[in-house]
Amino acid sequence: MKTTRMINRLKNATIGDIAVTELLCYDEKNIPKLLNLCRRNSISYIPSQDRKSIYKMTDDGFVQEKINDDLCMSPGELIFDEITIKKFTKVDHNEIRFVLQDGKIYGVVHIVDYNSEYLLVELYRAFLRFENNLRSLLIKKDLKNEDFIKWVRVMSDCEIYEDDNTQNYWTKRYVTLMPAEDGKRWRVENERRNLYAFQTFLFSDLLEYAIDCKLLDSSVFPSYILKKLRNYIAHARHLTSISEAEEGNLIYNFSHLKKFIADLKTFFFAFDHLEDLLQSKDKNNFSSADISK
């Protein structure tokens, strides 16, 4: 299936997909520039011109060295594999890794390359499919916009107010969906009529709705993780949480990257289960119990 190939392409993304192949190599004429590059990016190594050795930054400039195995990766290594992630912990996770092919440096990779446009685009496409699948699941169960709005109203009625001036989440959501003013309500209702079912509602709300209706199992579809991941991808935030240190050097949050990958694997698992639910032949005889089989 096309959709399965799409998610598998993301699951099986490799070091070669994110590696940088246009390299700035050692050049005696550009030592000040190369030193500034290394210091600015908190790295110690650059490749030689022939791409068979490397140069390490020292207090006096650079010295040539053989390529340490701990600094090597191959283009075919899976970027979300635990073994690959562990390789970034050897030596120093801030260091670049040299991607070797046929005994020569094919490219370099750094944890910052997990912010590559390739990954962000593939993640966005996958989550767009996931959101559409969620809406399709609700439609498959013969649910309509009106059912969801009634549910939001019930959730609103169940909320406990701290004081008369406090509106909780679902109360605010209901007011947005069903404004008291006639003109505003006509506009939002007209928008809903002109779009497919559930398209005007927030993903996070629909996810909570599907879980509450027992169409999805919260243990497989943890709403907090999936909502956080979706927002992260939608806003194209850096996966490694780059920030500036006081001295102007870049900081790469490796622990954040590991947490992101763990959340991403949760998403992969949920994505596959949702696809399975949609492919169920009998639309009236499936439930959250199906996803545990």
Side-chain angles (χ1 to χ4, degrees):
M1 290 182 60
K2 184 176 181 180
T3 55
T4 301
R5 287 199 298 271
M6 179 194 73
I7 194 67
N8 282 344
R9 181 182 178 185
L10 180 57
K11 286 181 183 178
N12 298 320
T14 66
I15 289 294
D17 290 324
I18 65 173
V20 175
T21 55
E22 296 181 5
L23 306 180
L24 188 61
C25 299
Y26 178 76
D27 185 344
E28 290 183 355
K29 298 178 182 178
N30 289 325
I31 289 179
K33 179 180 179 181
L34 295 173
L35 287 171
N36 183 55
L37 171 74
C38 291
R39 290 166 181 156
R40 188 175 69 248
N41 293 283
S42 300
I43 61 176
S44 305
Y45 302 92
I46 55 174
S48 63
Q49 290 285 347
D50 63 6
R51 300 198 180 199
K52 292 182 179 180
S53 63
I54 57 177
Y55 282 81
K56 182 178 181 179
M57 181 180 68
T58 68
D59 293 338
D60 301 321
F62 290 92
V63 294
Q64 190 172 17
E65 293 184 354
K66 292 182 179 180
I67 305 175
N68 188 317
D69 288 343
D70 289 338
L71 293 174
C72 295
M73 288 187 167
S74 65
E77 293 186 60
L78 301 179
I79 64 173
F80 299 127
D81 191 279
E82 186 176 348
I83 295 175
T84 304
I85 299 302
K86 283 184 178 179
K87 287 189 176 182
F88 281 102
T89 65
K90 293 183 178 181
V91 184
D92 179 355
H93 65 254
N94 278 323
E95 287 292 355
I96 58 173
R97 298 299 188 269
F98 295 96
V99 185
L100 267 61
Q101 190 172 47
D102 299 326
K104 296 183 67 174
I105 298 172
Y106 161 81
V108 297
V109 66
H110 188 281
I111 63 168
V112 73
D113 294 315
Y114 277 80
N115 300 319
S116 73
E117 182 178 339
Y118 168 80
L119 280 187
L120 290 174
V121 169
E122 288 300 317
L123 287 167
Y124 182 84
R125 290 178 65 238
F127 232 99
L128 179 62
R129 177 67 190 180
F130 187 69
E131 291 190 37
N132 286 335
N133 281 348
L134 176 58
R135 296 186 184 98
S136 296
L137 176 67
L138 296 174
I139 293 170
K140 186 176 182 179
K141 288 297 292 181
D142 296 325
L143 294 169
K144 299 178 176 58
N145 286 343
E146 293 74 18
D147 299 307
F148 172 74
I149 294 172
K150 289 178 182 177
W151 176 79
V152 173
R153 177 60 184 270
V154 171
M155 296 293 287
S156 173
D157 291 341
C158 291
E159 287 182 328
I160 300 175
Y161 291 79
E162 294 180 0
D163 56 62
D164 292 339
N165 297 319
T166 303
Q167 277 192 321
N168 290 331
Y169 179 80
W170 293 111
T171 300
K172 293 178 181 179
R173 291 300 304 136
Y174 185 75
V175 170
T176 301
L177 298 175
M178 298 294 291
E181 185 181 324
D182 290 342
K184 289 183 179 179
R185 187 169 64 254
W186 181 87
R187 283 193 292 273
V188 297
E189 288 178 340
N190 187 59
E191 183 183 13
R192 286 197 287 266
R193 282 192 294 268
N194 291 324
L195 293 172
Y196 288 113
F198 303 108
Q199 283 202 323
T200 60
F201 306 135
L202 297 178
F203 162 76
S204 57
D205 293 350
L206 293 178
L207 183 60
E208 295 289 354
Y209 178 52
I211 291 172
D212 196 57
C213 291
K214 301 192 184 305
L215 300 180
L216 300 178
D217 189 328
S218 61
S219 66
V220 178
F221 297 84
S223 58
Y224 174 75
I225 291 176
L226 294 175
K227 287 187 289 186
K228 181 181 67 172
L229 189 60
R230 187 265 181 198
N231 290 335
Y232 214 80
I233 294 167
H235 296 293
R237 292 180 59 190
H238 281 156
L239 313 185
T240 49
S241 290
I242 300 178
S243 60
E244 294 282 347
E246 290 183 2
E247 64 273 19
N249 293 328
L250 288 171
I251 296 175
Y252 307 103
N253 192 327
F254 185 65
S255 62
H256 188 277
L257 175 61
K258 290 195 292 185
K259 180 63 170 64
F260 178 85
I261 290 175
D263 290 347
L264 195 57
K265 289 182 178 180
T266 297
F267 167 64
F268 291 158
F269 195 60
F271 184 101
D272 288 338
H273 276 296
L274 187 52
E275 288 270 322
D276 290 342
L277 285 176
L278 286 174
Q279 292 171 16
S280 176
K281 294 182 180 179
D282 186 352
K283 72 176 183 179
N284 294 314
N285 288 288
F286 74 97
S287 67
S288 60
D290 295 328
I291 59 181
S292 64
K293 294 180 180 178

